[in-house]
Amino acid sequence: VQEVYSWNILDWNYPDQYLKQQALQTGALIRQNALPVGIERWRDKLFVSVPRWQSGIPATLNYIPLDAPYEPSPKLTPYPSFKGNELGDCENGLTTVYRIKADQCDRLWVLDVGTYGYDPNVTNVCPYSLNVYDLNTDQRIRRYVFRPEDIVSTTFIANIALDEGISCEDTFAYFSDELGYGLIAYSWEQNKSWRFSHSYFMPDPLVGDFNIAGLNFQWGAEGIFGISASPMGADGYRTLYFSPLSSNTEFAVSTRILRDESKVTGSYRDFKVVGSRGRDTHTTAKVMDITGVQLFSLIDQNAIGCWSSRLPLKPQNIAIADKDDVGLIFPSDVKIDAGRNVWVISDRMPVFLESELNYGDVNFRIYVAPMEKLIQGTVCEVESPIITTPRSLSVHSPRLQTISQIPSKIFLPGTSPSPLTSSYNPFISQNVISNIPNQPMYTREPSRSYFFPPSQNNNRQWWLNN
């Protein structure tokens, strides 16, 4: 991956210098309290979220204009505005945002957790709410407050995955409740949500010990965290992959189950064990591209990992796509944009939370790389996407013609069909984890730089052409 932006400490764009000085004097801006955690790219905007864990955060949802003159440490611009990020304005503003997702209908999906502060000093200023913006007009087009039945006393939601169907109306969003051990499904068309519970959402008590950036700490209560949706299968459904933060195991469930509110009960056996990534593979974020290759952060290893869902999930089939023991300390989020460029943000979060950052050093970095180059030479590499048409959907659908898919029934020699018949992945086991020995991961040589300096290509970076 190629470093695009880096910061010792974050800063914001204000309308004028007077307003900025006023913010500094009143404590509305305390730069050392800001930690970026999430990113998303849409056209000429790169969104960056900054939770309000401490005071002095002027905006929790921000962006960097990618078409502006290049700056290595750009200031953040509030999205949609400073007023739209006002702390405690539950109806009109955003209080704390973690991760965000843009869809193919040019909508930005933003979950406001409504909290101020960090455990154990957390105040619930506003209710959990989903805020969706029209990216072409920068206007919020929907605000949905989660039902009381969706939330428990320990709820902490930090991740979102989208399940886009054959139309913009046919879109579902899924939210992982890390500390409440639940999975919330939301239907755009019905404007309604429901909550699933399962023991697979809970942490593994054997792997709650973390060693990152020279710090040893225990996050043993961290449940379901990273979630990602597969390409659409031949049956018209996707597979949602998920794993607890305190776990090395991957699980999955068909979106056929999640889309159906009646399946909230009686669906225990529809959730499957995919396999184990092996030791030291805690992950905070994951994403799957149109070829069925999943990328995920490996926070123990200062690395980005990959797995091709054409293969069984076991340590031999996991690769290190990139690793940097300085720059990739705690890769907090990873995304793939519409041009199949991979974006990664690292933020040294454990140091920020458990110790103290050195603001004389570079603490936050954003990287980018073409997907093909990132996995080239690894076990994750695929030749080319295979396009199939879901049996239940029309080939003439404009939506389907833009989605590359892989057949949902691919079996390697010696394997058998998956019990998850509507699943994208043929290697999901029936609620058991195979006995897989710990084996070293595949590695690759560092890739060359794909970021053109300003003197080339009319001051336009290569990823802006995608």
Side-chain angles (χ1 to χ4, degrees), residues 332-362:
S332 175
D333 200 7
V334 55
K335 295 289 176 61
I336 303 173
D337 67 20
R340 298 190 71 225
N341 303 305
V342 178
W343 296 84
V344 178
I345 185 170
S346 64
D347 61 10
R348 300 186 174 182
M349 186 187 296
V351 182
F352 180 86
L353 295 177
E354 307 290 339
S355 182
E356 188 173 343
L357 289 175
N358 174 10
Y359 291 104
D361 195 6
V362 175

PDB file of all heavy atoms in Angstrom, residues 332-362:
ATOM      1  N   SER A 332      -7.101   0.455  11.504  1.00  0.00           N
ATOM      2  CA  SER A 332      -8.436   0.528  12.091  1.00  0.00           C
ATOM      3  C   SER A 332      -9.542   0.218  11.100  1.00  0.00           C
ATOM      4  O   SER A 332     -10.562  -0.362  11.463  1.00  0.00           O
ATOM      5  CB  SER A 332      -8.663   1.924  12.689  1.00  0.00           C
ATOM      6  OG  SER A 332      -9.975   2.072  13.157  1.00  0.00           O
ATOM      7  N   ASP A 333      -9.365   0.594   9.844  1.00  0.00           N
ATOM      8  CA  ASP A 333     -10.435   0.400   8.868  1.00  0.00           C
ATOM      9  C   ASP A 333      -9.829   0.111   7.508  1.00  0.00           C
ATOM     10  O   ASP A 333      -8.728   0.591   7.181  1.00  0.00           O
ATOM     11  CB  ASP A 333     -11.322   1.647   8.805  1.00  0.00           C
ATOM     12  CG  ASP A 333     -12.705   1.371   8.207  1.00  0.00           C
ATOM     13  OD1 ASP A 333     -13.012   0.181   7.972  1.00  0.00           O
ATOM     14  OD2 ASP A 333     -13.466   2.318   7.978  1.00  0.00           O
ATOM     15  N   VAL A 334     -10.542  -0.668   6.707  1.00  0.00           N
ATOM     16  CA  VAL A 334     -10.128  -0.974   5.335  1.00  0.00           C
ATOM     17  C   VAL A 334     -11.377  -0.969   4.460  1.00  0.00           C
ATOM     18  O   VAL A 334     -12.409  -1.521   4.824  1.00  0.00           O
ATOM     19  CB  VAL A 334      -9.385  -2.328   5.261  1.00  0.00           C
ATOM     20  CG1 VAL A 334     -10.218  -3.447   5.861  1.00  0.00           C
ATOM     21  CG2 VAL A 334      -8.995  -2.653   3.833  1.00  0.00           C
ATOM     22  N   LYS A 335     -11.294  -0.320   3.313  1.00  0.00           N
ATOM     23  CA  LYS A 335     -12.417  -0.214   2.382  1.00  0.00           C
ATOM     24  C   LYS A 335     -11.935  -0.431   0.950  1.00  0.00           C
ATOM     25  O   LYS A 335     -10.758  -0.229   0.647  1.00  0.00           O
ATOM     26  CB  LYS A 335     -13.072   1.169   2.479  1.00  0.00           C
ATOM     27  CG  LYS A 335     -13.741   1.456   3.825  1.00  0.00           C
ATOM     28  CD  LYS A 335     -15.000   0.643   4.013  1.00  0.00           C
ATOM     29  CE  LYS A 335     -15.616   0.842   5.391  1.00  0.00           C
ATOM     30  NZ  LYS A 335     -16.003   2.210   5.659  1.00  0.00           N
ATOM     31  N   ILE A 336     -12.857  -0.818   0.079  1.00  0.00           N
ATOM     32  CA  ILE A 336     -12.596  -0.946  -1.347  1.00  0.00           C
ATOM     33  C   ILE A 336     -13.575  -0.036  -2.075  1.00  0.00           C
ATOM     34  O   ILE A 336     -14.787  -0.152  -1.883  1.00  0.00           O
ATOM     35  CB  ILE A 336     -12.755  -2.395  -1.832  1.00  0.00           C
ATOM     36  CG1 ILE A 336     -11.829  -3.327  -1.046  1.00  0.00           C
ATOM     37  CG2 ILE A 336     -12.459  -2.492  -3.327  1.00  0.00           C
ATOM     38  CD1 ILE A 336     -12.051  -4.800  -1.342  1.00  0.00           C
ATOM     39  N   ASP A 337     -13.073   0.872  -2.906  1.00  0.00           N
ATOM     40  CA  ASP A 337     -13.974   1.819  -3.569  1.00  0.00           C
ATOM     41  C   ASP A 337     -14.484   1.247  -4.886  1.00  0.00           C
ATOM     42  O   ASP A 337     -14.180   0.109  -5.266  1.00  0.00           O
ATOM     43  CB  ASP A 337     -13.296   3.184  -3.741  1.00  0.00           C
ATOM     44  CG  ASP A 337     -12.118   3.160  -4.722  1.00  0.00           C
ATOM     45  OD1 ASP A 337     -12.038   2.230  -5.554  1.00  0.00           O
ATOM     46  OD2 ASP A 337     -11.274   4.075  -4.643  1.00  0.00           O
ATOM     47  N   ALA A 338     -15.265   2.052  -5.600  1.00  0.00           N
ATOM     48  CA  ALA A 338     -15.905   1.592  -6.827  1.00  0.00           C
ATOM     49  C   ALA A 338     -14.897   1.258  -7.915  1.00  0.00           C
ATOM     50  O   ALA A 338     -15.197   0.478  -8.827  1.00  0.00           O
ATOM     51  CB  ALA A 338     -16.891   2.655  -7.334  1.00  0.00           C
ATOM     52  N   GLY A 339     -13.700   1.818  -7.837  1.00  0.00           N
ATOM     53  CA  GLY A 339     -12.650   1.526  -8.802  1.00  0.00           C
ATOM     54  C   GLY A 339     -11.744   0.391  -8.374  1.00  0.00           C
ATOM     55  O   GLY A 339     -10.705   0.171  -8.986  1.00  0.00           O
ATOM     56  N   ARG A 340     -12.130  -0.327  -7.305  1.00  0.00           N
ATOM     57  CA  ARG A 340     -11.362  -1.439  -6.732  1.00  0.00           C
ATOM     58  C   ARG A 340     -10.001  -0.979  -6.222  1.00  0.00           C
ATOM     59  O   ARG A 340      -9.012  -1.701  -6.279  1.00  0.00           O
ATOM     60  CB  ARG A 340     -11.217  -2.604  -7.719  1.00  0.00           C
ATOM     61  CG  ARG A 340     -12.542  -3.234  -8.130  1.00  0.00           C
ATOM     62  CD  ARG A 340     -12.346  -4.514  -8.906  1.00  0.00           C
ATOM     63  NE  ARG A 340     -11.858  -5.585  -8.041  1.00  0.00           N
ATOM     64  CZ  ARG A 340     -10.866  -6.405  -8.366  1.00  0.00           C
ATOM     65  NH1 ARG A 340     -10.233  -6.263  -9.500  1.00  0.00           N
ATOM     66  NH2 ARG A 340     -10.505  -7.364  -7.532  1.00  0.00           N
ATOM     67  N   ASN A 341      -9.971   0.228  -5.687  1.00  0.00           N
ATOM     68  CA  ASN A 341      -8.811   0.699  -4.943  1.00  0.00           C
ATOM     69  C   ASN A 341      -9.045   0.425  -3.465  1.00  0.00           C
ATOM     70  O   ASN A 341     -10.139   0.637  -2.951  1.00  0.00           O
ATOM     71  CB  ASN A 341      -8.603   2.201  -5.149  1.00  0.00           C
ATOM     72  CG  ASN A 341      -8.446   2.564  -6.610  1.00  0.00           C
ATOM     73  OD1 ASN A 341      -7.601   2.027  -7.304  1.00  0.00           O
ATOM     74  ND2 ASN A 341      -9.294   3.469  -7.084  1.00  0.00           N
ATOM     75  N   VAL A 342      -8.026  -0.050  -2.802  1.00  0.00           N
ATOM     76  CA  VAL A 342      -8.110  -0.380  -1.382  1.00  0.00           C
ATOM     77  C   VAL A 342      -7.605   0.806  -0.564  1.00  0.00           C
ATOM     78  O   VAL A 342      -6.518   1.340  -0.827  1.00  0.00           O
ATOM     79  CB  VAL A 342      -7.261  -1.629  -1.057  1.00  0.00           C
ATOM     80  CG1 VAL A 342      -7.322  -1.939   0.431  1.00  0.00           C
ATOM     81  CG2 VAL A 342      -7.742  -2.819  -1.880  1.00  0.00           C
ATOM     82  N   TRP A 343      -8.394   1.215   0.436  1.00  0.00           N
ATOM     83  CA  TRP A 343      -8.037   2.308   1.327  1.00  0.00           C
ATOM     84  C   TRP A 343      -7.895   1.766   2.748  1.00  0.00           C
ATOM     85  O   TRP A 343      -8.752   1.021   3.217  1.00  0.00           O
ATOM     86  CB  TRP A 343      -9.104   3.407   1.292  1.00  0.00           C
ATOM     87  CG  TRP A 343      -9.236   4.064  -0.054  1.00  0.00           C
ATOM     88  CD1 TRP A 343      -9.967   3.618  -1.115  1.00  0.00           C
ATOM     89  CD2 TRP A 343      -8.611   5.269  -0.479  1.00  0.00           C
ATOM     90  NE1 TRP A 343      -9.836   4.474  -2.177  1.00  0.00           N
ATOM     91  CE2 TRP A 343      -9.010   5.510  -1.822  1.00  0.00           C
ATOM     92  CE3 TRP A 343      -7.765   6.191   0.138  1.00  0.00           C
ATOM     93  CZ2 TRP A 343      -8.588   6.605  -2.552  1.00  0.00           C
ATOM     94  CZ3 TRP A 343      -7.337   7.298  -0.589  1.00  0.00           C
ATOM     95  CH2 TRP A 343      -7.743   7.498  -1.913  1.00  0.00           C
ATOM     96  N   VAL A 344      -6.823   2.146   3.404  1.00  0.00           N
ATOM     97  CA  VAL A 344      -6.549   1.679   4.764  1.00  0.00           C
ATOM     98  C   VAL A 344      -6.192   2.876   5.633  1.00  0.00           C
ATOM     99  O   VAL A 344      -5.435   3.763   5.202  1.00  0.00           O
ATOM    100  CB  VAL A 344      -5.379   0.672   4.785  1.00  0.00           C
ATOM    101  CG1 VAL A 344      -5.070   0.236   6.218  1.00  0.00           C
ATOM    102  CG2 VAL A 344      -5.699  -0.539   3.912  1.00  0.00           C
ATOM    103  N   ILE A 345      -6.731   2.919   6.849  1.00  0.00           N
ATOM    104  CA  ILE A 345      -6.336   3.941   7.811  1.00  0.00           C
ATOM    105  C   ILE A 345      -5.753   3.251   9.038  1.00  0.00           C
ATOM    106  O   ILE A 345      -6.283   2.255   9.518  1.00  0.00           O
ATOM    107  CB  ILE A 345      -7.520   4.850   8.209  1.00  0.00           C
ATOM    108  CG1 ILE A 345      -7.031   5.988   9.121  1.00  0.00           C
ATOM    109  CG2 ILE A 345      -8.653   4.080   8.851  1.00  0.00           C
ATOM    110  CD1 ILE A 345      -8.076   7.072   9.362  1.00  0.00           C
ATOM    111  N   SER A 346      -4.616   3.745   9.516  1.00  0.00           N
ATOM    112  CA  SER A 346      -4.018   3.258  10.763  1.00  0.00           C
ATOM    113  C   SER A 346      -3.947   4.422  11.743  1.00  0.00           C
ATOM    114  O   SER A 346      -3.702   5.564  11.346  1.00  0.00           O
ATOM    115  CB  SER A 346      -2.624   2.675  10.517  1.00  0.00           C
ATOM    116  OG  SER A 346      -1.720   3.669  10.065  1.00  0.00           O
ATOM    117  N   ASP A 347      -4.143   4.124  13.055  1.00  0.00           N
ATOM    118  CA  ASP A 347      -4.285   5.250  13.987  1.00  0.00           C
ATOM    119  C   ASP A 347      -3.668   5.037  15.379  1.00  0.00           C
ATOM    120  O   ASP A 347      -3.855   5.858  16.271  1.00  0.00           O
ATOM    121  CB  ASP A 347      -5.773   5.605  14.150  1.00  0.00           C
ATOM    122  CG  ASP A 347      -6.595   4.461  14.724  1.00  0.00           C
ATOM    123  OD1 ASP A 347      -6.018   3.454  15.182  1.00  0.00           O
ATOM    124  OD2 ASP A 347      -7.845   4.567  14.723  1.00  0.00           O
ATOM    125  N   ARG A 348      -2.958   3.915  15.577  1.00  0.00           N
ATOM    126  CA  ARG A 348      -2.317   3.665  16.873  1.00  0.00           C
ATOM    127  C   ARG A 348      -3.308   3.765  18.038  1.00  0.00           C
ATOM    128  O   ARG A 348      -2.990   4.280  19.116  1.00  0.00           O
ATOM    129  CB  ARG A 348      -1.130   4.622  17.091  1.00  0.00           C
ATOM    130  CG  ARG A 348      -0.046   4.492  16.031  1.00  0.00           C
ATOM    131  CD  ARG A 348       1.179   5.330  16.332  1.00  0.00           C
ATOM    132  NE  ARG A 348       2.241   5.067  15.360  1.00  0.00           N
ATOM    133  CZ  ARG A 348       3.450   5.636  15.385  1.00  0.00           C
ATOM    134  NH1 ARG A 348       3.741   6.501  16.353  1.00  0.00           N
ATOM    135  NH2 ARG A 348       4.347   5.328  14.479  1.00  0.00           N
ATOM    136  N   MET A 349      -4.506   3.268  17.820  1.00  0.00           N
ATOM    137  CA  MET A 349      -5.573   3.410  18.804  1.00  0.00           C
ATOM    138  C   MET A 349      -5.210   2.897  20.200  1.00  0.00           C
ATOM    139  O   MET A 349      -5.515   3.574  21.193  1.00  0.00           O
ATOM    140  CB  MET A 349      -6.847   2.722  18.313  1.00  0.00           C
ATOM    141  CG  MET A 349      -8.052   2.943  19.220  1.00  0.00           C
ATOM    142  SD  MET A 349      -9.484   1.962  18.730  1.00  0.00           S
ATOM    143  CE  MET A 349      -9.851   2.641  17.111  1.00  0.00           C
ATOM    144  N   PRO A 350      -4.568   1.721  20.350  1.00  0.00           N
ATOM    145  CA  PRO A 350      -4.250   1.267  21.706  1.00  0.00           C
ATOM    146  C   PRO A 350      -3.339   2.226  22.466  1.00  0.00           C
ATOM    147  O   PRO A 350      -3.473   2.379  23.682  1.00  0.00           O
ATOM    148  CB  PRO A 350      -3.569  -0.085  21.476  1.00  0.00           C
ATOM    149  CG  PRO A 350      -4.080  -0.541  20.154  1.00  0.00           C
ATOM    150  CD  PRO A 350      -4.222   0.704  19.338  1.00  0.00           C
ATOM    151  N   VAL A 351      -2.432   2.870  21.749  1.00  0.00           N
ATOM    152  CA  VAL A 351      -1.553   3.843  22.407  1.00  0.00           C
ATOM    153  C   VAL A 351      -2.371   5.040  22.869  1.00  0.00           C
ATOM    154  O   VAL A 351      -2.185   5.560  23.978  1.00  0.00           O
ATOM    155  CB  VAL A 351      -0.419   4.290  21.450  1.00  0.00           C
ATOM    156  CG1 VAL A 351       0.522   5.261  22.157  1.00  0.00           C
ATOM    157  CG2 VAL A 351       0.355   3.076  20.931  1.00  0.00           C
ATOM    158  N   PHE A 352      -3.300   5.484  22.022  1.00  0.00           N
ATOM    159  CA  PHE A 352      -4.175   6.609  22.365  1.00  0.00           C
ATOM    160  C   PHE A 352      -5.026   6.286  23.591  1.00  0.00           C
ATOM    161  O   PHE A 352      -5.209   7.134  24.473  1.00  0.00           O
ATOM    162  CB  PHE A 352      -5.067   6.931  21.170  1.00  0.00           C
ATOM    163  CG  PHE A 352      -6.021   8.069  21.382  1.00  0.00           C
ATOM    164  CD1 PHE A 352      -5.636   9.380  21.161  1.00  0.00           C
ATOM    165  CD2 PHE A 352      -7.331   7.836  21.795  1.00  0.00           C
ATOM    166  CE1 PHE A 352      -6.526  10.439  21.341  1.00  0.00           C
ATOM    167  CE2 PHE A 352      -8.224   8.881  21.984  1.00  0.00           C
ATOM    168  CZ  PHE A 352      -7.816  10.180  21.757  1.00  0.00           C
ATOM    169  N   LEU A 353      -5.535   5.052  23.668  1.00  0.00           N
ATOM    170  CA  LEU A 353      -6.458   4.678  24.743  1.00  0.00           C
ATOM    171  C   LEU A 353      -5.739   4.207  26.004  1.00  0.00           C
ATOM    172  O   LEU A 353      -6.169   4.499  27.117  1.00  0.00           O
ATOM    173  CB  LEU A 353      -7.404   3.572  24.264  1.00  0.00           C
ATOM    174  CG  LEU A 353      -8.364   3.940  23.133  1.00  0.00           C
ATOM    175  CD1 LEU A 353      -9.170   2.719  22.721  1.00  0.00           C
ATOM    176  CD2 LEU A 353      -9.282   5.081  23.534  1.00  0.00           C
ATOM    177  N   GLU A 354      -4.648   3.456  25.840  1.00  0.00           N
ATOM    178  CA  GLU A 354      -4.006   2.817  26.981  1.00  0.00           C
ATOM    179  C   GLU A 354      -2.768   3.548  27.467  1.00  0.00           C
ATOM    180  O   GLU A 354      -2.276   3.293  28.564  1.00  0.00           O
ATOM    181  CB  GLU A 354      -3.624   1.368  26.612  1.00  0.00           C
ATOM    182  CG  GLU A 354      -4.752   0.535  26.047  1.00  0.00           C
ATOM    183  CD  GLU A 354      -5.804   0.184  27.072  1.00  0.00           C
ATOM    184  OE1 GLU A 354      -5.485   0.237  28.289  1.00  0.00           O
ATOM    185  OE2 GLU A 354      -6.947  -0.132  26.677  1.00  0.00           O
ATOM    186  N   SER A 355      -2.226   4.460  26.645  1.00  0.00           N
ATOM    187  CA  SER A 355      -1.003   5.173  27.015  1.00  0.00           C
ATOM    188  C   SER A 355      -1.129   6.629  26.576  1.00  0.00           C
ATOM    189  O   SER A 355      -2.116   7.282  26.898  1.00  0.00           O
ATOM    190  CB  SER A 355       0.214   4.486  26.371  1.00  0.00           C
ATOM    191  OG  SER A 355       1.407   5.112  26.732  1.00  0.00           O
ATOM    192  N   GLU A 356      -0.186   7.111  25.800  1.00  0.00           N
ATOM    193  CA  GLU A 356      -0.234   8.495  25.324  1.00  0.00           C
ATOM    194  C   GLU A 356       0.532   8.603  24.019  1.00  0.00           C
ATOM    195  O   GLU A 356       1.660   8.101  23.899  1.00  0.00           O
ATOM    196  CB  GLU A 356       0.381   9.436  26.360  1.00  0.00           C
ATOM    197  CG  GLU A 356       0.204  10.909  26.020  1.00  0.00           C
ATOM    198  CD  GLU A 356       0.677  11.826  27.136  1.00  0.00           C
ATOM    199  OE1 GLU A 356       0.846  11.336  28.285  1.00  0.00           O
ATOM    200  OE2 GLU A 356       0.890  13.025  26.875  1.00  0.00           O
ATOM    201  N   LEU A 357      -0.084   9.233  23.029  1.00  0.00           N
ATOM    202  CA  LEU A 357       0.563   9.411  21.737  1.00  0.00           C
ATOM    203  C   LEU A 357       1.663  10.466  21.816  1.00  0.00           C
ATOM    204  O   LEU A 357       1.565  11.434  22.575  1.00  0.00           O
ATOM    205  CB  LEU A 357      -0.461   9.832  20.677  1.00  0.00           C
ATOM    206  CG  LEU A 357      -1.469   8.780  20.215  1.00  0.00           C
ATOM    207  CD1 LEU A 357      -2.481   9.411  19.263  1.00  0.00           C
ATOM    208  CD2 LEU A 357      -0.774   7.602  19.549  1.00  0.00           C
ATOM    209  N   ASN A 358       2.699  10.270  21.017  1.00  0.00           N
ATOM    210  CA  ASN A 358       3.756  11.260  20.852  1.00  0.00           C
ATOM    211  C   ASN A 358       3.409  12.107  19.633  1.00  0.00           C
ATOM    212  O   ASN A 358       3.515  11.642  18.495  1.00  0.00           O
ATOM    213  CB  ASN A 358       5.104  10.564  20.670  1.00  0.00           C
ATOM    214  CG  ASN A 358       6.223  11.548  20.357  1.00  0.00           C
ATOM    215  OD1 ASN A 358       6.059  12.761  20.457  1.00  0.00           O
ATOM    216  ND2 ASN A 358       7.376  11.019  19.972  1.00  0.00           N
ATOM    217  N   TYR A 359       2.989  13.341  19.868  1.00  0.00           N
ATOM    218  CA  TYR A 359       2.555  14.176  18.750  1.00  0.00           C
ATOM    219  C   TYR A 359       3.709  14.809  17.985  1.00  0.00           C
ATOM    220  O   TYR A 359       3.492  15.581  17.047  1.00  0.00           O
ATOM    221  CB  TYR A 359       1.564  15.232  19.241  1.00  0.00           C
ATOM    222  CG  TYR A 359       0.254  14.607  19.655  1.00  0.00           C
ATOM    223  CD1 TYR A 359      -0.076  14.433  20.998  1.00  0.00           C
ATOM    224  CD2 TYR A 359      -0.639  14.138  18.699  1.00  0.00           C
ATOM    225  CE1 TYR A 359      -1.270  13.831  21.380  1.00  0.00           C
ATOM    226  CE2 TYR A 359      -1.837  13.529  19.068  1.00  0.00           C
ATOM    227  CZ  TYR A 359      -2.136  13.384  20.412  1.00  0.00           C
ATOM    228  OH  TYR A 359      -3.313  12.772  20.777  1.00  0.00           O
ATOM    229  N   GLY A 360       4.925  14.449  18.354  1.00  0.00           N
ATOM    230  CA  GLY A 360       6.074  14.799  17.538  1.00  0.00           C
ATOM    231  C   GLY A 360       6.338  13.752  16.474  1.00  0.00           C
ATOM    232  O   GLY A 360       7.216  13.923  15.623  1.00  0.00           O
ATOM    233  N   ASP A 361       5.579  12.664  16.519  1.00  0.00           N
ATOM    234  CA  ASP A 361       5.726  11.562  15.571  1.00  0.00           C
ATOM    235  C   ASP A 361       4.495  11.493  14.682  1.00  0.00           C
ATOM    236  O   ASP A 361       3.446  12.056  15.007  1.00  0.00           O
ATOM    237  CB  ASP A 361       5.892  10.249  16.351  1.00  0.00           C
ATOM    238  CG  ASP A 361       6.417   9.117  15.486  1.00  0.00           C
ATOM    239  OD1 ASP A 361       6.760   9.374  14.320  1.00  0.00           O
ATOM    240  OD2 ASP A 361       6.465   7.973  15.982  1.00  0.00           O
ATOM    241  N   VAL A 362       4.613  10.781  13.559  1.00  0.00           N
ATOM    242  CA  VAL A 362       3.446  10.546  12.713  1.00  0.00           C
ATOM    243  C   VAL A 362       2.589   9.478  13.374  1.00  0.00           C
ATOM    244  O   VAL A 362       3.065   8.384  13.667  1.00  0.00           O
ATOM    245  CB  VAL A 362       3.854  10.098  11.304  1.00  0.00           C
ATOM    246  CG1 VAL A 362       2.618   9.739  10.481  1.00  0.00           C
ATOM    247  CG2 VAL A 362       4.644  11.193  10.601  1.00  0.00           C
TER     248      VAL A 362
END
